[in-house]
Amino acid sequence: MSVTQAGLLAVLVSVGTFLVLHRSLTRIILGIGMLGNAVNLLILTVGSTPGEVPIVGSSGADRMTDPVPQALVLTAIVIGLAVVAFLLSMAYRSWTIDGNDVVEDDLSDRRIAAEPDVTQDFGDET
Amino acid sequence: MTPRPTVTPSTILSLTVAGLTPVLVLVAVYITFRGHNAPGGGFAGGLIIGIVLVLRYLTDGAEALRRLPVDPVVLIGVGLGAAVLTGIAPLLVGGSFLESNVWKLDLWPVGQVKVVSSAVFDLGVFILVTGVVAAILVALAEADDEASRGETTGGTEGPTDGPPTRTGVDR
Amino acid sequence: MNGGLALFVGAPLAGTAACFVLARFQGAQRAVALACSTAVTIASVVLLVHVDTTGPVTTSMGGWPEAISITFVADRLGALMLVIGNVMMLAVLVYAVAQRSSDERSPWYAPAYLALIAGVSGAFLAGDLFNLFVCFEILLMSSYVLLTLEGSDDQIRSGTTYVVLNVVESLVLVTAVALVFATTGTLSMAELPDRLAALPDGVALGLSLLLLVAFGLKAAVFPLFSWLPDSYPAAPSPVSAVFAGLLTKVGVYAILRTQTQWFPDTNRTLLLVIAAATMVVGVLGAIAQSDIKRILSFHIVSQIGYMIAGIALGGVAAVAAVVFFVIHQVPAKTSLFLVDGVVEQEQGTSALDRLSGLARRSGALAALFLLPALSLAGIPPFSGFVAKLGIVTVGLDRGEWWIVGVALVVSILTLVSMMKIWTGAFWGADDPDDRPGLLRHHPLMSAVTAFVVALTIAIAVFAGPIYGFAERTAGDLVATSAPATGGGAP
């Protein structure tokens, strides 16, 4: 593991976490993109030792890097793309509905929290 | 909906895209088939076609999508079907799921050609990704269409129920 | 069975593809979905019998040797979950087709539902950790689509929370996968127990906590449950029924595997505390709510606590109790949501203050609600009693008195909140105003509901043999865990 990779990981994770904690869905999406890249980088960083391209015929098997982490990253990238595409469409939908993309609170929770006495729901039945 | 200016795409962009389209399609197909033994593959190839579609959408507007010969949703189905069936087919001849087979054919003018069954899988992914991008664009174009129609007729039959409240969101 | 297991994922995916091609033909889509789901369900029952009599089945993909290929493995637990999951998904599909709600008429419904079947089946059969992650993603993506299919304001609002939290959960899971691979050099579930046991304690603890966070969010355990009661009620009833019955149990399944097979004897106290908090917070939340769907959603959280408690206690007896609890829980929970779907179809709402006297209108419907509700609360003749008895007995044997106390108190509170639905919606005077009349719903809807309720009763009637099977399953799980199992048979 090189210092550059570790430093890049630190930056990506902290920036991603910061963005995910926002209320605006667009920023959350950017944050998720960052975190996704961070995790992919993590797989490559911790999962394999540096080596040559793991393609049969291009170099000797003993000098190749481990291909498994690369396969994992490839899959994770494709999944990440699908997730981001879905989130973007949700943000767009949210924008067409009420003109912003703010992630709102659970309305029903707020209402019940504001209720003075929940036991009254049992009413005179009991 | 904030009134959107009717965009006239720049001539430079239109001409560039028109010229690039065939090249990009060729590159996409090349990358798809190259993917068997080298970096590349159906996913990357399909995304390049997707970029072509996005560029056409930017220059020609929704018109570009109406000219599509097939329903993108059907493309998704065909692509996914091809990929899954490549997986299932070997089971029928006693292999295992997703097992790949290689045929070496002697085509007279070309010489020996290696045909690999997993190429069908890649081709399926290629069609699938193309279909997904096209479907997303069609959905966006429809939403735009409805929104602008809602504006001109003053109706609220857009994708929204009731008048949306805009809070100065810039697009 | 060479390669056969892959068909549990391949066949529904092929069905998904067919549904996309047939996007314009609703009837054909429904036929494909029903045919696919039925076929997979029958195949899973056959698989369960096969696995129970002759032992686990393994399939490697692509003709590669097992050590380096993607594998599907069906052991007793996996095959059992596969059967429960597919039976429930088939029942709910029939119910949804009968209901013809607005989302079911969307051309995206059938493909998304089939992809959900593929994801759930794959998750239960996955033979390595990364494969599990991929199947989780298939399952999650289709659940996102199903949850927000109508695209209404409410669905988008609560769907956003659901999607974002689950995406973050996926990222945690991938991180765990990366670190597990880095420390052990393998992701195969067969090899991991030994390799993980060889790790230093601190590293193993870190990995187990990371996996616990990832799967705990999916299972909605105590600090990570807040997305559930918000998002599930926003979905149409059939969708929330299958989510409520199944999706959290996929998380429980993953926790069960990781905690009993990979990290035996770690985090016991932590898990017990989480379990108690999950039970208490869930049931208190349920009591506070005033909408049938939301009450039931909080119950999901509360019931998850019992399963976590069983996992925390560990050993064959406790794990057997957990397995039986899952067998009981899935149909009971699903049937309650299906009843709520009928109520909503009839009355147009599931808010308790707008419902009254349903029992006078339809005694059958009231009975269909009451039976699984009592079962869930753990009243003696029903399956929930047997399930809770199993966990409580183990707790007493181990001398964990306080968790037993919490479990019993929560049981009573569950009954209280069920009575709240009962008095609010079913009891009382019939509403005299001109609400739409009864039995507007398709008869198949109540037939399916009755079938699922009958299933919960059948579980109580055949509790003996089913419990025997659960004990065999638990024996497998605990036996294959690392040899250092201190918390073996009590």
Side-chain angles (χ1 to χ4, degrees):
Chain A
M1 188 198 299
S2 73
V3 179
T4 324
Q5 279 172 321
L8 193 56
L9 261 173
V11 171
L12 282 173
V13 171
S14 44
V15 172
T17 311
F18 175 72
L19 285 171
V20 163
L21 293 177
H22 277 83
R23 280 260 168 180
S24 156
L25 189 53
T26 315
R27 291 192 183 190
I28 293 177
I29 295 171
L30 291 174
I32 283 173
M34 290 268 180
L35 286 176
N37 284 332
V39 172
N40 291 341
L41 186 61
L42 176 80
I43 299 180
L44 285 183
T45 309
V46 301
S48 60
T49 46
E52 288 179 28
V53 187
I55 293 180
V56 177
S58 69
S59 61
D62 48 336
R63 277 175 296 142
M64 281 181 196
T65 180
D66 190 349
V68 176
Q70 305 200 2
L72 303 188
V73 169
L74 201 62
T75 319
I77 288 175
V78 176
I79 292 173
L81 178 98
V83 166
V84 167
F86 188 83
L87 276 169
L88 277 173
S89 71
M90 280 189 86
Y92 180 76
R93 181 72 193 163
S94 173
W95 179 79
T96 54
I97 288 178
D98 54 8
N100 62 44
D101 64 347
V102 173
V103 179
E104 285 162 60
D105 280 337
D106 183 350
L107 298 175
S108 192
D109 244 21
R110 289 276 156 278
R111 193 166 45 75
I112 285 172
E115 245 174 49
D117 181 14
V118 288
T119 50
Q120 72 191 12
D121 281 2
F122 284 91
D124 36 23
E125 309 275 358
T126 46
Chain B
M1 176 117 348
T2 34
R4 200 169 306 154
T6 44
V7 186
T8 356
S10 80
T11 320
I12 298 175
L13 184 65
S14 301
L15 286 176
T16 318
V17 169
L20 270 180
T21 303
V23 182
L24 282 177
V25 171
L26 206 61
V27 170
V29 173
Y30 168 68
I31 285 191
T32 304
F33 285 104
R34 174 180 195 268
H36 183 68
N37 278 331
F43 186 72
L47 280 183
I48 294 178
I49 295 284
I51 291 170
V52 173
L53 289 172
V54 171
L55 285 172
R56 297 301 290 221
Y57 178 58
L58 285 180
T59 56
D60 302 0
E63 192 53 40
L65 299 167
R66 263 177 229 122
R67 288 202 303 262
L68 283 178
V70 278
D71 187 352
V73 180
V74 174
L75 273 188
I76 299 179
V78 170
L80 182 62
V84 175
L85 289 181
T86 327
I88 295 179
L91 291 177
L92 304 178
V93 291
S96 64
F97 192 70
L98 278 174
E99 193 165 344
S100 181
N101 195 12
V102 184
W103 295 280
K104 289 192 171 132
L105 301 180
D106 277 315
L107 295 182
W108 167 67
V110 196
Q112 199 182 51
V113 178
K114 219 168 78 173
V115 181
V116 191
S117 67
S118 65
V120 181
F121 184 89
D122 252 352
L123 202 62
V125 173
F126 173 77
I127 299 173
L128 171 64
V129 174
T130 309
V132 168
V133 177
I136 291 176
L137 286 177
V138 167
L140 282 179
E142 272 172 9
D144 269 10
D145 268 7
E146 281 178 36
S148 55
R149 214 182 306 130
E151 250 163 48
T152 49
T153 58
T156 50
E157 270 303 294
T160 62
D161 294 326
T165 50
R166 299 285 161 217
T167 50
V169 172
D170 202 0
R171 210 173 161 221
Chain C
M1 293 294 267
N2 184 21
L5 289 184
L7 281 179
F8 286 100
V9 181
L13 278 183
T16 311
C19 283
F20 275 126
V21 175
L22 299 168
R24 302 254 165 108
F25 310 99
Q26 286 269 293
Q29 273 196 334
R30 290 193 182 109
V32 169
L34 285 171
C36 248
S37 181
T38 314
V40 174
T41 308
I42 293 172
S44 61
V45 174
V46 173
L47 179 72
L48 179 65
V49 174
H50 179 83
V51 166
D52 193 32
T53 48
T54 62
V57 182
T58 307
T59 290
S60 310
M61 291 218 262
W64 297 97
E66 210 172 293
I68 58 167
S69 83
I70 300 171
T71 54
F72 280 123
V73 180
D75 57 359
R76 284 206 179 96
L77 180 64
L80 169 75
M81 297 299 291
L82 192 70
V83 170
I84 302 176
N86 276 305
V87 169
M88 278 311 117
M89 286 189 286
L90 175 61
V92 173
L93 181 64
V94 174
Y95 181 96
V97 167
Q99 188 183 16
R100 302 271 158 99
S101 59
S102 59
D103 68 316
E104 203 271 334
R105 288 197 297 271
S106 152
W108 301 95
Y109 183 86
Y113 199 87
L114 283 173
L116 184 75
I117 293 179
V120 170
S121 305
F124 291 145
L125 294 177
D128 63 77
L129 194 53
F130 195 75
N131 200 1
L132 180 70
F133 160 72
V134 172
C135 292
F136 257 78
E137 285 305 309
I138 299 179
L139 173 167
L140 285 174
M141 281 310 288
S142 33
S143 77
Y144 302 158
V145 173
L146 287 172
L147 194 68
T148 57
L149 203 53
E150 283 170 29
S152 64
D153 193 0
D154 208 32
Q155 285 198 340
I156 294 292
R157 186 190 57 73
S158 55
T160 310
T161 324
Y162 176 77
V163 175
V164 170
L165 276 173
N166 276 294
V167 169
V168 172
E169 175 251 8
S170 303
L171 291 172
V172 176
L173 183 53
V174 188
T175 310
V177 169
L179 295 177
V180 167
F181 184 77
T183 49
T184 64
T186 183
L187 291 174
S188 154
M189 291 198 182
E191 289 178 35
L192 273 175
D194 289 339
R195 303 259 186 118
L196 286 169
L199 288 180
D201 282 353
V203 177
L205 180 67
L207 292 177
S208 74
L209 288 179
L210 210 52
L211 286 169
L212 189 61
V213 170
F215 295 136
L217 198 144
K218 193 82 224 78
V221 299
F222 163 58
L224 308 167
F225 69 94
S226 55
W227 54 272
L228 189 146
D230 187 19
S231 60
Y232 282 11
S237 282
V239 172
S240 49
V242 78
F243 284 15
L246 265 186
L247 292 200
T248 47
K249 308 312 175 285
V250 183
V252 172
Y253 163 83
I255 294 180
L256 182 60
R257 263 209 197 287
T258 49
Q259 289 299 325
T260 55
Q261 284 193 298
W262 300 358
F263 306 104
D265 287 326
T266 42
N267 307 331
R268 288 225 189 284
T269 318
L270 174 72
L271 278 171
L272 273 182
V273 173
I274 289 178
T278 310
M279 283 189 235
V280 172
V281 173
V283 83
L284 290 182
I287 289 179
Q289 299 297 318
S290 57
D291 180 290
I292 298 181
K293 260 189 174 176
R294 292 185 67 94
I295 295 180
L296 293 177
S297 296
F298 270 101
H299 276 154
I300 304 174
V301 177
S302 165
Q303 302 291 318
I304 294 291
Y306 285 92
M307 298 176 221
I308 303 297
I311 295 174
L313 290 170
V316 176
V319 172
V322 173
V323 171
F324 188 85
F325 204 103
V326 173
I327 300 176
H328 135 78
Q329 179 75 14
V330 174
K333 201 80 239 180
T334 308
S335 61
L336 285 172
F337 271 86
L338 292 181
V339 169
D340 171 71
V342 175
V343 170
E344 256 182 63
Q345 178 93 351
E346 299 285 345
Q347 307 286 315
T349 179
S350 60
L352 283 180
D353 48 2
R354 294 179 55 198
L355 294 170
S356 179
L358 285 176
R360 277 177 207 274
R361 293 193 171 192
S362 168
L365 189 64
L368 285 183
F369 171 80
L370 198 60
L371 293 176
L374 291 178
S375 173
L376 209 67
I379 302 298
F382 299 107
S383 54
F385 171 72
V386 185
K388 285 183 180 172
L389 184 69
I391 289 173
V392 165
T393 315
V394 180
L396 289 178
D397 283 351
R398 300 285 166 77
E400 301 281 359
W401 300 100
W402 64 278
I403 193 83
V404 171
V406 170
L408 293 178
V409 170
V410 168
S411 249
I412 296 168
L413 291 177
T414 308
L415 189 61
V416 169
S417 58
M418 284 299 180
M419 292 325 285
K420 186 173 170 180
I421 300 183
W422 179 254
T423 50
F426 291 95
W427 217 235
D430 196 356
D431 235 353
D433 64 3
D434 52 349
R435 285 272 167 66
L438 201 63
L439 292 177
R440 264 195 327 149
H441 63 271
H442 197 285
L444 251 182
M445 284 169 71
S446 18
V448 171
T449 315
F451 166 75
V452 181
V453 172
L455 217 55
T456 66
I457 294 171
I459 290 170
V461 173
F462 298 105
I466 295 177
Y467 216 96
F469 179 82
E471 272 168 349
R472 289 201 292 281
T473 309
D476 285 357
L477 279 178
V478 178
T480 51
S481 64
T485 327

